[in-house]
Amino acid sequence: MTDRSPHPAGRSDGGLQNRTKIILGILAGLVIVIAVAAVLTFTMTVTTGTSGVSLPFETHYAVSFPDGNAVTIGSSRIAVMAYNGSVITEADGNREQLAVGQTRIISPRHATISIFGIPLYSADFQITLQYLGSTGTKDNFDLTVAASQKIPSFLLDRLVPSTVKATPV
């Protein structure tokens, strides 16, 4: 008496499972390669050219700038220094002294986010700073970002550097 296998000769029990695993592995590898390429080609450009559209979307932050150190927000270089109960602000080479409660508007900018060279997001925005006073080595402001489109939180996180303590209000 011979024992016959229910499977044809030359075929193992895991043939279909192995093929499925290989295909899933290839698909997972492709997804990883595409994700890495997307991260590597992610660009955010901020320019001074704006389209002149209205800026109806606002986001408010309580921020603390390091006194006497320059930071870059968007493409604007901002330096602040406390002086006799006020603060001297320098934004893009223009100096202005602010007393507590006074505001400063920084010229409008345009931001574009691209992945694989394809623009995914484009908006005009403008930053307004209201001086709230100084505490120790920090100068405190209410920072308002007004934009032509709702700004994703990850973009705002990229606009505000880590040296600036920013808390959404």
Side-chain angles (χ1 to χ4, degrees):
M1 183 169 231
T2 59
D3 197 17
R4 294 199 178 214
S5 173
H7 300 290
R11 183 159 175 128
S12 68
D13 288 330
L16 187 56
Q17 286 180 335
N18 287 339
R19 193 175 316 151
T20 303
K21 287 179 184 178
I22 290 171
I23 290 171
L24 288 175
I26 291 170
L27 287 175
L30 277 172
V31 168
I32 290 169
V33 167
I34 290 171
V36 168
V39 168
L40 292 175
T41 62
F42 177 89
T43 57
M44 183 177 84
T45 55
V46 179
T47 60
T48 56
T50 62
S51 61
V53 298
S54 66
L55 307 172
F57 298 97
E58 288 188 353
T59 305
H60 298 272
Y61 283 92
V63 297
S64 295
F65 290 104
D67 190 60
N69 295 327
V71 296
T72 301
I73 297 180
S75 62
S76 294
R77 183 181 175 277
I78 301 171
V80 296
M81 184 176 291
Y83 175 74
N84 286 340
S86 64
V87 70
I88 297 171
T89 62
E90 182 178 321
D92 301 326
N94 298 317
R95 285 188 180 183
E96 191 173 320
Q97 187 168 351
L98 300 176
V100 173
Q102 286 186 307
T103 60
R104 172 155 191 191
I105 298 172
I106 298 172
S107 61
R109 301 281 194 253
H110 183 81
T112 303
I113 296 176
S114 301
I115 296 178
F116 300 120
I118 301 167
L120 299 178
Y121 177 85
S122 184
D124 291 342
F125 70 95
Q126 184 171 352
I127 296 171
T128 303
L129 295 170
Q130 181 181 22
Y131 181 53
L132 302 175
S134 296
T135 53
T137 61
K138 300 287 185 180
D139 299 316
N140 306 307
F141 292 85
D142 176 30
L143 181 139
T144 301
V145 179
S148 59
Q149 294 184 34
K150 186 165 176 62
I151 299 177
S153 61
F154 73 89
L155 176 56
L156 285 172
D157 294 341
R158 288 189 58 125
L159 287 174
V160 179
S162 59
T163 56
V164 174
K165 183 183 172 205
T167 307
V169 187

